[in-house]
Amino acid sequence: MGTPRNLAARLLRAIVRMAPEESREWALAMLRELDFIDGEWAALFWAIGSVAAIVRHAACHWRRWMKHETKEDGKMNEKGKKALGVGIGLFSSLMLVGCAFAILRIAGALFPGLDIDHLEWTHILTVIVIPEAIFVTAAVLLWRKRGPVAAGILTTALVVALHVVAHLTLHW
Amino acid sequence: MKLKLSPQTLLILEAFLDHPADWKYGYDLSRSTGLKSGTLYPILMRLADRKLLETEWEASEPDKLGKPPRHMYRFTPDGLRFARTSVSAATSGGLGQVALGRILSGLIGSG
């Protein structure tokens, strides 16, 4: 099994593990098709498309669940709503950092000659600078209408920044 | 519940209408329609959510030793009716008229 197909299988297996209950069967269906795909790169592109499909499906269910929850007045108090907002902000921003890191690792595995994995500036740019810029922009845009979500995003931004400071003080 | 009838959805409906009683696999559908997994599966999921498509796991066969069972798809009776109506409406000019209308309105707008 070549590197792209191996990556595709790993990616889909991870998605099967992480997918919510309602999307898991579909994720497994996409993984099972992998054995029948001719070509290494075709398998990887299949996996990437499948991940996108699962994320959209899970997001759709989640949106429906949120609508249902917000319709049920009185069931969730203001504190609960704020906590949920902060949780959403935290989760989505952590997912972004995770995806950035995964992209870096995938690029490192696909193009070992470039040595991307061991270059510090690629880590700083992909996992820190770009996500931090997105976090700040998102927090500014969301602050008025979705304050708790913005707070969750800013918390992640702060944690990532603190991590960088700690890293720099320890290693430099 | 309404289903968006995009050209890609119509392609999939047409693919299922070819031997509608047969179970079909995801990758085979992808090859026959030319759609990538990121486009194909959301449509299959929507069709299944609306009970237009039934899904089943393939029973493991002794001749396919080592290969895991695959997920299969087939129209439900409602799905078959929906597909026939949608595809015939599209081919008899339903969507063609919409497209023509858009082209004409574009021409008028630009003129």
Side-chain angles (χ1 to χ4, degrees), chain A residues 62 65-90 145-152:
Chain A
W62 179 74
W65 177 81
M66 281 289 289
K67 269 187 190 168
H68 176 74
E69 285 294 304
T70 46
K71 268 182 192 170
E72 290 188 353
D73 289 335
K75 280 200 171 177
M76 192 188 280
N77 58 20
E78 277 302 307
K79 266 188 183 176
K81 278 181 190 169
K82 278 182 185 168
L84 183 70
V86 172
I88 291 165
L90 277 171
K145 286 188 176 175
R146 300 267 191 279
V149 179

Side-chain angles (χ1 to χ4, degrees), chain A residues 23 25-30 32-33 35-38 42 45-54 56-57 61 64, chain B residues 25-28 30-31 35-38 40-42 44-46 48-49 53 55 57 66-71 73:
Chain A
S23 309
E25 190 185 11
W26 288 100
L28 196 59
M30 294 165 194
R32 294 282 165 83
E33 290 300 304
D35 287 339
F36 300 88
I37 298 173
D38 304 318
F45 290 133
W46 173 269
I48 291 169
S50 301
V51 172
I54 287 296
R56 279 171 66 184
H57 190 240
H61 272 271
R64 247 181 264 162
Chain B
Y25 301 114
Y27 183 54
D28 296 349
S30 166
R31 279 199 307 188
L35 298 175
K36 308 283 178 212
S37 59
L40 171 78
Y41 276 101
L44 292 181
M45 289 165 177
R46 277 200 294 275
D49 279 349
L53 206 65
T55 66
W57 286 100
K67 294 248 178 183
R70 298 169 82 179
H71 210 212
Y73 315 99

Side-chain angles (χ1 to χ4, degrees), chain A residues 111-126:
Chain A
F111 309 106
L114 293 177
D115 208 24
I116 292 169
D117 247 1
H118 299 102
L119 291 173
E120 193 153 19
W121 70 266
T122 55
H123 282 260
I124 292 171
L125 185 72
T126 320

Side-chain angles (χ1 to χ4, degrees), chain A residues 120-121 124 164-172:
Chain A
E120 193 153 19
W121 70 266
I124 292 171
V164 174
V165 171
H167 179 81
L168 291 178
T169 44
L170 284 173
H171 295 280
W172 280 8

Side-chain angles (χ1 to χ4, degrees), chain A residues 98-116:
Chain A
C99 287
F101 192 67
I103 288 170
L104 200 64
R105 297 302 297 265
I106 290 171
L110 287 178
F111 309 106
L114 293 177
D115 208 24
I116 292 169

Side-chain angles (χ1 to χ4, degrees), chain B residues 97-111:
Chain B
Q97 281 171 8
V98 174
L100 187 65
R102 278 184 189 161
I103 292 165
L104 285 174
S105 63
L107 282 174
I108 292 163
S110 62

Side-chain angles (χ1 to χ4, degrees), chain B residues 7-86:
Chain B
Q8 291 86 351
T9 308
L10 280 170
L11 269 176
I12 293 174
L13 295 181
E14 280 172 2
F16 272 110
L17 281 176
D18 184 30
H19 304 291
D22 295 351
W23 289 100
K24 290 180 171 61
Y25 301 114
Y27 183 54
D28 296 349
L29 282 167
S30 166
R31 279 199 307 188
S32 65
T33 57
L35 298 175
K36 308 283 178 212
S37 59
T39 311
L40 171 78
Y41 276 101
I43 298 171
L44 292 181
M45 289 165 177
R46 277 200 294 275
L47 289 170
D49 279 349
R50 285 159 178 76
K51 311 272 183 236
L52 300 174
L53 206 65
E54 56 179 321
T55 66
E56 204 173 293
W57 286 100
E58 189 180 44
S60 50
E61 293 168 30
D63 60 319
K64 283 186 177 176
L65 219 63
K67 294 248 178 183
R70 298 169 82 179
H71 210 212
M72 309 182 294
Y73 315 99
R74 183 171 77 174
F75 275 138
T76 59
D78 280 349
L80 192 56
R81 265 195 300 278
F82 170 79
R84 283 192 175 137
T85 345
S86 306

